[in-house]
Amino acid sequence: MELDSSNQDKNSRSCDCIKAIPGKFKAKVVEFTEKTKKIGQDDPRRIAHSAKVGLALTLVSFFYYFRPLYDGFGQAGMWAILTVVVVFEYTVGGTLLKCFNRGFATLLAGALGIGAEYLATLCGEKGEPVLLGILVFILATTSTFMRFFPSIKRRYDYGVLIFILTFSLVAVSGFRVNQIIQLAHQRLSTILIGAATCIVISIFICPVWAGQDLHNLASANIEKLANFLQVFGDEGSVVAPKDVKSFLHGYKTVLNAKATEESLANFACWEPCHGRFKFHHPWKQYLKIGVLVRECCCHIEALSGYRNSKPQVPSEFSIKIHQLCVKISLESGKSLNDLAAAIKNMVHPCATETHIKNSIAAANELKSILESSSSLAKPDLQEIMPALVVASILIDIIKCIEKISESIHELSGKAHFKNNANSTITPEKQQQKQWLHRGIVKPINDANCDHVAIEILGTCEDNSSEK
Amino acid sequence: MELDSSNQDKNSRSCDCIKAIPGKFKAKVVEFTEKTKKIGQDDPRRIAHSAKVGLALTLVSFFYYFRPLYDGFGQAGMWAILTVVVVFEYTVGGTLLKCFNRGFATLLAGALGIGAEYLATLCGEKGEPVLLGILVFILATTSTFMRFFPSIKRRYDYGVLIFILTFSLVAVSGFRVNQIIQLAHQRLSTILIGAATCIVISIFICPVWAGQDLHNLASANIEKLANFLQVFGDEGSVVAPKDVKSFLHGYKTVLNAKATEESLANFACWEPCHGRFKFHHPWKQYLKIGVLVRECCCHIEALSGYRNSKPQVPSEFSIKIHQLCVKISLESGKSLNDLAAAIKNMVHPCATETHIKNSIAAANELKSILESSSSLAKPDLQEIMPALVVASILIDIIKCIEKISESIHELSGKAHFKNNANSTITPEKQQQKQWLHRGIVKPINDANCDHVAIEILGTCEDNSSEK
């Protein structure tokens, strides 16, 4: 009986194991399905892109498969497939850049290869392999070294790779020159077919424009900073509670956006005009804005440690400072939101200046309170220190926002953003400008802030008078 | 005469133009030469890498060139060249990862391709191209979608590309199955020859280890932060004046190191044990340290605006605060320098705790001064505000350094760093520990700081008792 029960025990245990394996497998499958769903939902264009690659490959493989075409192109048909697989990128600009790289590098390396082959035949049967070996070594070495140049790495890395490959293949193939020219013709025409298929499909079926993505990214990043500042200032009344966390932590991704921005800007240069973007859209300006946004983001990271740093039993003095900080934070957030909306809608951001002016006014008020603090009761430094630090960081943030605003005004000028209906200089605006000039005469101790604010107004005015 | 002179004028102008072209060309050549020199001098391993690629390509092209070998491998010899060009990366880990990707993807896709071909022949002559087209479409689409998974993108992106390519080529080639197997044999053996050449050359001739680079990068980044803090605190006496600028701006590159760190850690996992690194070296821990270092770097960016913010006519009170800030900054810099040296020399960083303790003590002193400020003469807030902000940011930096130190202690434990001669628990250390415990009982208002400091001491002790 005992033996029996232990056997049963073993059986049931091994049964459990067998049951556990499908259980684990099922869990893995469920997890995988959910991940796949999420990636597809995050950006449905990914599904479209995958189908586009499948379509291009199927179309091109028919060139290779059907005999009449096959007989025409020979084995070279495989180069069409190779081209599609390697050249088809997610964005139109990426695909165009790779096509250009592949085409240009193949032509150049092919010509040089034929030259090398011709030179080598002059050296006799023994000298030929030696000379070819030396030439391949020299060209491969110098080209590989070229890939370390940042400017070449960024744009022509793939081209240099294809250059080395084609030169080696052509130089070493050992065919006579006339054979090579026939081969080159076949190979180039199949590469052209592959590249043309990729370009047509990537432009005309659900195109993904790198320029559009870069534009949206710039706007979204500024919006993330704005969200943080608005939640930081307001502590929950503007934003639904469930969004607070995502609003507070959204800015963290901004710090790592540099690589994405640079590659998008690189691709965007190669795209034809599309949507609201002309051919010579100032893509480089987005990189300048990106640098300033990340700088601002660092100050926000420093600020994030001071959320909920309100003292337990606040004095009248620290309540005053706190209120002004809230005002600066909210107004800064609004100005950034305006800038983000201006980029998004491609409208000249003239509403921003009011918010920047409001936050500068609050900052100046803060300064005058600190100046007059000697007339107050002795403040408890330990108690007001966090508020002072927050105020100081917020003043730094205002300076950053002014720089960002200036840079977006520059973008607006270069890219001919539309002028908003209320961006022309109304009498009210004139008065505001005078108000600001008065601000300089008034002994407020921040010449730098006012100076930049006036510069911004100046740019705004210049642009509207230009049109 | 007039006509003549104007003609002469024109001639001399065109002469100038002709002279200007070689002048410009010369300037370009000089600029290019200097750039090349700089890239080579910055990292001489780049020159070695370029020569290694040239050598590998020359060796492999002989397989293709010499007739006896050529007859053995046929046209497949070109796959050896293609493999070398595409697979040879700068680091050993990168090369190994690509070789693995290429080999595994080729085998898998080849087997699936033969299966697809066999299945298609069963469908008759009319059904064959349709079924193959459908199969290519489905496989290319799903594989391309896979490339959007971050985990696959990071490691197997190249493998998925080769998988799509090989499957399409094999499925569509239109050969009979027995022909395909012969072709596959040729192609695989040439790919193996190419990959083996790359691996042997990249490991045995001036190897560039991704692991070593990651290790050095982690140490160098921490050193950059240390340099900033030491210059910020000391204003020039430690550092030679010509280095001040590079010391102050060095930290800016740290913020953008994320992508480099991630790719190096990815490659390092694939490297065999080398130098002082075992096979299971905890490479992921470097990424954790990197995150904390960048967080600290953000605070330093916020701090950098306050250099030279010493008031013109400082009161006794603000001089005191300034002195303590200098002390915190210098001690923090020293502790970071110690941590950087610990990573560099792979030694357990037990000397760091003293510096962290010193900076915590200075921070506590600062706090008690602020607490007792009510007994002093009324401070001018406007005057002392920058000093307060600097103090506050420095306290944040201490917290960051504690986290970095903890994380490096973890690394030290996992990677079995050597114990320094003076890291065993001496009676003096015991006393220090008691001092710190007393610190908690003493009503100093920063439980968090002391807590972490004790945790660090604890780790230190645990590690030394383990060995």
Side-chain angles (χ1 to χ4, degrees):
Chain A
M1 270 297 282
E2 252 183 32
L3 208 89
D4 237 280
S5 78
S6 86
N7 255 350
Q8 268 186 347
D9 211 48
K10 263 188 197 168
N11 278 340
S12 74
R13 241 183 273 156
S14 65
C15 266
D16 278 356
C17 275
I18 291 164
K19 268 182 206 161
I21 292 167
K24 262 189 192 171
F25 183 73
K26 208 179 158 190
K28 280 260 171 194
V29 168
V30 169
E31 192 198 347
F32 178 77
T33 318
E34 270 167 17
K35 227 181 189 173
T36 312
K37 229 179 182 174
K38 200 188 162 289
I39 288 173
Q41 276 171 343
D42 279 355
D43 192 348
R45 297 176 305 173
R46 288 170 178 166
I47 303 169
H49 170 73
S50 308
K52 276 155 67 184
V53 174
L55 178 66
L57 214 55
T58 315
L59 282 180
V60 159
S61 62
F62 281 133
F63 277 101
Y64 194 42
Y65 195 79
F66 284 116
R67 296 296 142 142
L69 286 162
Y70 186 81
D71 292 340
F73 290 117
Q75 279 270 355
M78 65 166 261
W79 289 97
I81 293 180
L82 208 149
T83 304
V84 170
V85 171
V86 183
V87 145
F88 210 131
E89 290 278 310
Y90 184 52
T91 59
V92 176
T95 309
L96 287 174
L97 178 58
K98 272 208 160 172
C99 284
F100 166 79
N101 264 307
R102 191 175 184 92
F104 186 73
T106 306
L107 279 178
L108 185 67
L112 279 178
I114 292 174
E117 181 75 29
Y118 179 73
L119 206 72
T121 48
L122 296 181
C123 293
E125 207 160 309
K126 276 195 177 166
E128 197 180 335
V130 177
L131 185 71
L132 280 179
I134 292 172
L135 283 177
V136 166
F137 180 80
I138 291 174
L139 241 105
T141 304
T142 47
S143 307
T144 307
F145 190 74
M146 284 290 165
R147 292 176 71 195
F148 289 110
F149 283 73
S151 52
I152 291 176
K153 176 104 199 152
R154 209 166 39 234
R155 294 203 161 185
Y156 307 115
D157 195 53
Y158 178 67
V160 176
L161 213 69
I162 293 292
F163 176 79
I164 302 175
L165 176 65
T166 311
F167 179 79
S168 314
L169 285 181
V170 172
V172 163
S173 63
F175 291 113
R176 300 275 144 248
V177 174
N178 57 345
Q179 274 178 306
I180 285 186
I181 288 174
Q182 197 203 338
L183 194 78
H185 170 72
Q186 277 184 357
R187 202 161 284 183
L188 275 177
S189 50
T190 43
I191 288 180
L192 266 180
I193 288 170
T197 314
C198 289
I199 292 175
V200 167
I201 290 182
S202 95
I203 291 183
F204 293 104
I205 303 178
C206 309
V208 177
W209 300 102
Q212 179 76 54
D213 274 17
L214 177 63
H215 185 86
N216 293 347
L217 184 67
S219 165
N221 280 348
I222 295 174
E223 212 176 300
K224 278 175 192 163
L225 302 193
N227 287 340
F228 177 90
L229 286 173
Q230 292 202 311
V231 174
F232 185 85
D234 204 67
E235 284 156 19
S237 83
V238 174
V239 186
K242 61 168 183 169
D243 287 341
V244 167
K245 216 178 160 186
S246 76
F247 269 41
L248 276 177
H249 296 292
Y251 76 90
K252 283 187 193 276
T253 56
V254 177
L255 280 176
N256 300 322
K258 193 182 177 234
T260 316
E261 271 178 14
E262 278 179 357
S263 79
L264 284 178
N266 205 6
F267 295 156
C269 301
W270 285 86
E271 290 175 348
C273 46
H274 57 277
R276 300 170 294 173
F277 306 102
K278 302 274 182 323
F279 185 63
H280 278 295
H281 196 78
W283 298 116
K284 292 238 164 118
Q285 187 68 22
Y286 289 92
L287 296 183
K288 283 186 200 164
I289 296 172
V291 171
L292 296 171
V293 167
R294 279 192 296 281
E295 204 175 284
C296 185
C297 195
C298 256
H299 291 288
I300 283 181
E301 168 88 28
L303 194 64
S304 67
Y306 292 92
R307 203 171 119 78
N308 306 324
S309 63
K310 226 165 133 182
Q312 294 293 311
V313 193
S315 63
E316 196 194 339
F317 183 74
S318 67
I319 289 176
K320 227 175 193 170
I321 294 182
H322 181 78
Q323 279 171 345
L324 284 170
C325 283
V326 165
K327 196 176 173 197
I328 296 178
S329 185
L330 284 179
E331 289 290 337
S332 303
K334 277 182 199 163
S335 64
L336 280 177
N337 248 339
D338 271 342
L339 287 172
I343 293 187
K344 210 180 203 168
N345 307 321
M346 298 186 86
V347 178
H348 196 71
C350 269
T352 318
E353 80 206 38
T354 321
H355 296 298
I356 292 184
K357 208 191 62 199
N358 287 345
S359 45
I360 291 176
N364 286 337
E365 200 180 326
L366 196 83
K367 279 179 189 163
S368 55
I369 287 181
L370 293 181
E371 265 173 7
S372 63
S373 64
S374 45
S375 62
L376 285 168
K378 263 182 209 168
D380 178 359
L381 283 184
Q382 179 83 350
E383 184 213 308
I384 62 164
M385 190 164 154
L388 288 182
V389 176
V390 167
S392 169
I393 297 176
L394 280 172
I395 290 171
D396 288 340
I397 288 177
I398 296 178
K399 284 177 200 160
C400 281
I401 292 176
E402 282 180 324
K403 279 190 216 158
I404 294 172
S405 164
E406 221 177 318
S407 176
I408 291 175
H409 275 78
E410 210 180 307
L411 173 70
S412 162
K414 281 182 188 169
H416 308 292
F417 280 7
K418 270 180 294 187
N419 252 332
N420 226 350
N422 53 356
S423 73
T424 44
I425 298 212
T426 56
E428 195 190 341
K429 285 262 160 89
Q430 275 291 356
Q431 204 185 334
Q432 278 176 6
K433 204 182 153 188
Q434 279 162 10
W435 183 94
L436 254 144
H437 274 288
R438 265 215 311 279
I440 286 182
V441 183
K442 231 176 89 180
I444 289 173
N445 209 352
D446 196 6
N448 185 32
C449 271
D450 284 351
H451 176 66
V452 178
I454 282 162
E455 267 189 1
I456 292 165
L457 265 178
T459 326
C460 209
E461 200 188 344
D462 283 347
N463 274 316
S464 34
S465 62
E466 250 176 49
K467 280 160 198 169
Chain B
M1 267 299 281
E2 252 182 35
L3 208 88
D4 237 280
S5 80
S6 86
N7 254 349
Q8 269 185 346
D9 213 46
K10 262 187 198 170
N11 277 341
S12 75
R13 243 183 273 157
S14 66
C15 265
D16 278 355
C17 275
I18 290 165
K19 268 182 206 163
I21 291 168
K24 263 189 193 173
F25 183 72
K26 207 178 159 191
K28 281 258 173 198
V29 168
V30 169
E31 192 197 350
F32 178 77
T33 318
E34 270 167 18
K35 227 181 190 174
T36 312
K37 229 179 184 174
K38 198 184 164 293
I39 289 172
Q41 276 172 343
D42 279 356
D43 193 348
R45 299 177 305 174
R46 289 170 177 166
I47 301 169
H49 170 72
S50 308
K52 277 155 68 184
V53 174
L55 178 66
L57 214 55
T58 314
L59 282 179
V60 160
S61 62
F62 280 134
F63 279 101
Y64 195 42
Y65 195 80
F66 283 117
R67 295 297 144 141
L69 287 162
Y70 186 82
D71 291 342
F73 289 117
Q75 279 270 353
M78 65 165 262
W79 288 97
I81 293 179
L82 208 148
T83 305
V84 169
V85 172
V86 184
V87 146
F88 209 132
E89 288 278 309
Y90 184 53
T91 59
V92 176
T95 309
L96 287 172
L97 179 58
K98 273 209 159 171
C99 283
F100 167 79
N101 264 307
R102 189 172 186 94
F104 186 75
T106 306
L107 279 176
L108 186 67
L112 280 178
I114 292 174
E117 181 74 28
Y118 179 73
L119 207 73
T121 49
L122 297 180
C123 292
E125 208 161 307
K126 276 197 178 164
E128 199 180 333
V130 177
L131 185 70
L132 279 179
I134 293 172
L135 282 176
V136 166
F137 180 79
I138 292 174
L139 242 105
T141 304
T142 47
S143 306
T144 307
F145 189 75
M146 284 290 165
R147 292 176 71 194
F148 289 111
F149 283 72
S151 51
I152 291 175
K153 175 105 200 151
R154 209 167 38 233
R155 295 201 162 184
Y156 308 114
D157 195 51
Y158 178 68
V160 177
L161 213 70
I162 292 294
F163 176 80
I164 302 175
L165 176 66
T166 310
F167 178 81
S168 315
L169 284 181
V170 172
V172 162
S173 63
F175 291 114
R176 299 279 145 242
V177 173
N178 56 346
Q179 275 178 307
I180 285 185
I181 287 174
Q182 197 204 338
L183 195 77
H185 170 72
Q186 277 184 356
R187 204 162 283 185
L188 275 178
S189 48
T190 44
I191 288 180
L192 265 180
I193 288 170
T197 313
C198 289
I199 292 175
V200 168
I201 289 181
S202 96
I203 291 184
F204 293 105
I205 303 178
C206 310
V208 177
W209 301 101
Q212 180 75 55
D213 274 16
L214 177 62
H215 185 85
N216 294 347
L217 183 68
S219 167
N221 280 348
I222 295 176
E223 213 177 297
K224 278 175 192 163
L225 303 193
N227 287 340
F228 177 89
L229 285 174
Q230 292 202 310
V231 174
F232 184 84
D234 203 68
E235 283 154 21
S237 82
V238 173
V239 185
K242 59 169 186 168
D243 287 342
V244 166
K245 215 177 162 187
S246 78
F247 270 41
L248 276 175
H249 296 293
Y251 75 90
K252 284 189 191 275
T253 56
V254 177
L255 281 175
N256 300 321
K258 194 182 177 233
T260 316
E261 271 178 14
E262 279 180 356
S263 80
L264 284 178
N266 205 4
F267 295 156
C269 301
W270 286 86
E271 289 176 349
C273 48
H274 57 276
R276 299 170 296 173
F277 306 101
K278 302 274 181 328
F279 185 62
H280 278 295
H281 195 79
W283 299 117
K284 292 237 164 115
Q285 187 67 24
Y286 289 92
L287 296 183
K288 283 187 201 164
I289 296 172
V291 171
L292 296 172
V293 167
R294 279 192 295 281
E295 205 176 282
C296 185
C297 196
C298 256
H299 290 290
I300 282 182
E301 167 89 29
L303 194 63
S304 67
Y306 291 93
R307 203 172 119 79
N308 307 324
S309 64
K310 226 166 136 181
Q312 294 293 311
V313 193
S315 64
E316 195 194 343
F317 182 75
S318 67
I319 287 176
K320 228 174 189 174
I321 294 182
H322 181 78
Q323 278 169 347
L324 284 169
C325 284
V326 165
K327 196 178 173 194
I328 297 177
S329 185
L330 284 179
E331 289 289 335
S332 303
K334 277 180 199 163
S335 64
L336 281 177
N337 248 339
D338 271 342
L339 288 172
I343 293 187
K344 210 181 205 168
N345 307 320
M346 300 186 86
V347 178
H348 196 70
C350 268
T352 317
E353 82 205 38
T354 320
H355 296 298
I356 293 184
K357 209 191 60 200
N358 288 344
S359 46
I360 291 175
N364 286 337
E365 201 180 327
L366 195 83
K367 278 179 189 164
S368 55
I369 286 181
L370 294 180
E371 266 173 7
S372 63
S373 64
S374 45
S375 63
L376 285 168
K378 261 181 211 170
D380 178 0
L381 284 183
Q382 179 83 352
E383 184 213 307
I384 62 165
M385 190 164 153
L388 288 181
V389 175
V390 168
S392 171
I393 297 176
L394 280 172
I395 289 170
D396 287 340
I397 288 177
I398 296 177
K399 284 178 199 157
C400 282
I401 292 177
E402 282 180 324
K403 280 191 216 158
I404 294 173
S405 164
E406 222 177 317
S407 177
I408 291 175
H409 275 78
E410 211 181 307
L411 173 70
S412 162
K414 282 183 187 167
H416 308 292
F417 280 6
K418 271 179 293 184
N419 251 330
N420 227 349
N422 52 356
S423 73
T424 46
I425 297 213
T426 56
E428 197 190 338
K429 286 259 160 91
Q430 275 292 355
Q431 206 187 333
Q432 277 177 6
K433 204 183 151 189
Q434 277 163 13
W435 184 94
L436 255 143
H437 275 288
R438 261 213 315 276
I440 285 181
V441 182
K442 229 176 92 181
I444 290 174
N445 210 354
D446 196 7
N448 185 30
C449 272
D450 284 351
H451 176 64
V452 179
I454 282 163
E455 265 189 2
I456 292 167
L457 265 178
T459 326
C460 211
E461 199 187 346
D462 283 347
N463 274 316
S464 33
S465 64
E466 251 177 48
K467 280 162 197 169

